[in-house]
Amino acid sequence: MQDNKNRWILAAQCPSRLGTVDVVTRFLRESRCYITEQHSFDDRQSGGFFIRTEFRPEAEGFDAEAFEAGFAERAAEFEMIFELTPPGRRMPVVIMVSKADHCLNDLLYRYRIGQLPIEIRAIVSNHPDLATLAEWHAIPYHHFPITAETKAQQEAQVWQVVEQNGAELVILARYMQVLSSDMCEKLNGRAINIHHSLLPGFKGARPYHQAYEKGVKLVGATAHYINDDLDEGPIITQGVEPVSHTDYPEDLVAKGRDVECLTLSRAVALHVERRVFLDAGRTVVFDR
């Protein structure tokens, strides 16, 4: 784990033009801030520029408000939007689940040991099965059953939990319901989903058993932002695990669960550390 004691993060994006890197680095130097990590990318297809900088103030009594106000003046010339994240900030999140508990368990463990800089404020489910797990972690659990007739009402309840808890990120940790177009729009850019990635693609029930019948040699998972196209939102991370003829369907399921956990937790970490930028229908990801 990194020492975040005095690590500030400046994440910004704007149209590509001359001087975009300079406006960031020059202001940091003038503000007596030392750059400890920096990534930038200029997308020649979309015409977008993206930059993420970690820095530590060298002077005593760093004034974040004055820094933001000063940088905003410089950034305006470049139509640059930016976000300043202070050291040690934990992003408030809400997790959505159904019955499968592997991804939720993994997130709760990483949260408990401080590996993920998040604050889990609530867990929402369309089933009551995982209430005991939430209770053990002293996290509020909301059971909102859903049917085709009650979908709008149920999503209104979910949205109320998100708003009341000030959640900046919603994690769909194997939540087996399709969100409505309205919900996808509300959560645009701040809801991450995880699903299996099998080639060829297998949909419907028991996908790993279908994969076994076809003799697949890789199982995988994809973590992505949600959008109105089912499982086709901008991709953040992907993971794969080799399998062979010695692996039976239950082995594929077990390996798939492991990959899903790792892929989802990595995507969440990248998001909360401000390492992911939306670039039209794609993402720019500044990995560690």
Side-chain angles (χ1 to χ4, degrees):
M1 293 174 60
Q2 298 182 37
D3 180 10
N4 299 337
K5 191 181 236 183
N6 199 27
R7 183 190 67 160
W8 291 77
I9 301 171
L10 178 64
Q13 61 188 92
C14 64
S16 301
R17 63 180 64 172
L18 186 66
T20 48
V21 174
D22 179 70
V23 72
V24 174
T25 56
R26 185 184 296 271
F27 186 80
L28 286 169
R29 180 178 180 276
E30 292 174 359
S31 302
R32 297 188 63 195
C33 295
Y34 182 83
I35 295 173
T36 57
E37 179 185 330
Q38 181 160 275
H39 301 271
S40 65
F41 175 67
D42 187 90
D43 191 331
R44 65 174 180 267
Q45 287 197 314
S46 71
F49 173 79
F50 310 86
I51 187 166
R52 179 189 184 276
T53 304
E54 291 186 14
F55 66 91
R56 67 169 185 262
E58 295 290 281
E60 292 292 331
F62 179 71
D63 188 335
E65 289 188 10
F67 180 95
E68 286 188 288
F71 185 70
E73 291 183 14
R74 303 280 186 92
E77 177 187 347
F78 297 86
E79 301 176 71
M80 181 178 285
I81 58 174
F82 69 92
E83 187 171 17
L84 182 67
T85 304
R89 184 177 187 275
R90 304 176 72 84
M91 180 178 288
V93 307
V94 166
I95 299 178
M96 299 181 69
V97 294
S98 288
K99 290 185 176 182
D101 65 357
H102 56 287
C103 286
L104 175 61
N105 256 315
D106 184 73
L107 291 170
L108 288 171
Y109 173 72
R110 296 174 192 273
Y111 168 61
R112 192 168 71 247
I113 66 173
Q115 185 176 338
L116 286 175
I118 60 176
E119 180 185 339
I120 303 175
R121 295 190 173 174
I123 297 171
V124 174
S125 180
N126 56 318
H127 296 283
D129 303 54
L130 304 181
T132 303
L133 182 60
E135 182 181 353
W136 191 88
H137 288 84
I139 297 172
Y141 188 87
H142 302 273
H143 172 217
F144 299 142
I146 185 172
T147 65
E149 293 74 26
T150 64
K151 186 180 182 71
Q153 177 186 348
Q154 192 258 14
E155 286 195 346
Q157 292 175 302
V158 173
W159 181 246
Q160 186 176 28
V161 171
V162 171
E163 285 202 307
Q164 287 180 346
N165 285 282
E168 297 175 17
L169 176 67
V170 174
I171 305 170
L172 281 67
R174 298 299 289 164
Y175 180 66
M176 306 305 290
Q177 292 290 323
V178 179
L179 298 182
S180 67
S181 299
D182 180 60
M183 196 66 157
C184 288
E185 185 177 346
K186 288 178 178 177
L187 293 173
N188 182 44
R190 60 188 187 110
I192 297 175
N193 187 31
I194 184 73
H195 66 85
H196 66 78
S197 300
L198 296 168
L199 292 175
F202 301 100
K203 297 182 179 180
R206 296 160 66 88
Y208 289 103
H209 290 72
Q210 297 178 54
Y212 172 78
E213 294 298 331
K214 294 294 184 180
V216 299
K217 298 298 182 278
L218 290 172
V219 296
T222 296
H224 60 91
Y225 291 115
I226 64 166
N227 66 6
D228 207 16
D229 295 318
L230 181 62
D231 291 339
E232 294 186 15
I235 294 170
I236 305 170
T237 56
Q238 292 181 293
V240 294
E241 178 72 20
V243 296
S244 73
H245 60 276
T246 64
D247 290 305
Y248 292 95
E250 57 270 22
D251 300 313
L252 270 63
V253 170
K255 289 187 176 184
R257 285 174 177 161
D258 289 344
V259 176
E260 287 173 9
C261 290
L262 289 170
T263 304
L264 179 59
S265 65
R266 184 162 165 256
V268 171
L270 291 168
H271 177 90
V272 299
E273 292 177 5
R274 305 296 194 264
R275 294 180 181 273
V276 186
F277 297 80
L278 282 169
D279 184 14
R282 302 171 62 249
T283 57
V284 171
V285 181
F286 294 134
D287 213 337
R288 299 179 185 82

